[in-house]
Amino acid sequence: MEIHNEILTNINTRYVLLKKENDYLIIDKLRKTMVIIDDPIINLKKLIEVMISKKVQVYEDAKELPKPIEEPQKFNIKSVAFKVFIKKIYNHKEEETGSILTALTNEPVNAERKNIIEKRIMSYAFQVLYPGEGLNMYSSVYKDTASITAIKKINSLPSSEIGNIKEIYDW
């Protein structure tokens, strides 16, 4: 559900307004947090006007807001600082077809931290390196190395067919 529809559907049960001088802030009162809408298509002023017309509860002071019912989730995972090294992959025509992204940390990495780091690296590959491109992602098999290989346009890479299964074992 889009955020503006969710807000309008849950007026006063979850979302209220907090008056700040001559402006309003949308507040999630179950979490006692401010709602940030960064979608340029949504007209925030119009959304607030509609909320007021639907008789939304307006608080003058943040101290008046009810105590939060939903507590934020806490994770017991310590954040790991890491540097990422990127090695570009090229096809036979010298066109970039992907990258190998390897994270180096100052401390040992277990399987759980490896997965967390690799998810961050994958997000970086999708959003920064190759935005809007379909990618195939492959993870390192080593448990102590956080590394992924991102391949774009995998179907256009050159390939060859291996004959029968005996050829695979007799090389």
Side-chain angles (χ1 to χ4, degrees), residues 62-90:
K63 294 176 184 172
E64 297 173 359
L65 287 165
K67 190 172 182 162
I69 296 170
E70 293 180 8
E71 293 295 324
Q73 291 183 351
K74 295 180 183 174
F75 298 99
N76 293 330
I77 300 168
K78 181 181 155 192
S79 179
V80 177
F82 59 91
K83 291 182 180 180
V84 177
F85 292 90
I86 302 171
K87 295 177 187 174
K88 300 288 184 174
I89 301 171
Y90 298 91

Side-chain angles (χ1 to χ4, degrees), residues 35-128:
V35 177
I36 304 291
I37 300 175
D38 60 355
D39 187 342
I41 296 173
I42 296 174
N43 184 338
L44 189 59
K45 292 194 183 298
K46 184 69 174 167
L47 177 60
I48 291 171
E49 287 175 13
V50 172
M51 289 176 72
I52 292 171
S53 72
K54 291 187 172 226
K55 308 281 190 244
V56 69
Q57 195 170 9
V58 179
Y59 290 88
E60 299 290 327
D61 188 4
K63 294 176 184 172
E64 297 173 359
L65 287 165
K67 190 172 182 162
I69 296 170
E70 293 180 8
E71 293 295 324
Q73 291 183 351
K74 295 180 183 174
F75 298 99
N76 293 330
I77 300 168
K78 181 181 155 192
S79 179
V80 177
F82 59 91
K83 291 182 180 180
V84 177
F85 292 90
I86 302 171
K87 295 177 187 174
K88 300 288 184 174
I89 301 171
Y90 298 91
N91 67 8
H92 64 287
K93 295 179 186 175
E94 296 184 13
E95 298 168 337
E96 184 180 340
T97 57
S99 297
I100 300 169
L101 296 93
T102 305
L104 296 180
T105 64
N106 292 335
E107 50 188 85
V109 176
N110 60 21
E112 185 178 14
R113 285 189 180 166
K114 175 187 182 283
N115 288 337
I116 292 169
I117 293 171
E118 284 180 347
K119 285 181 183 176
R120 289 182 187 165
I121 295 172
M122 284 181 191
S123 178
Y124 178 82
F126 277 113
Q127 296 174 2
V128 179

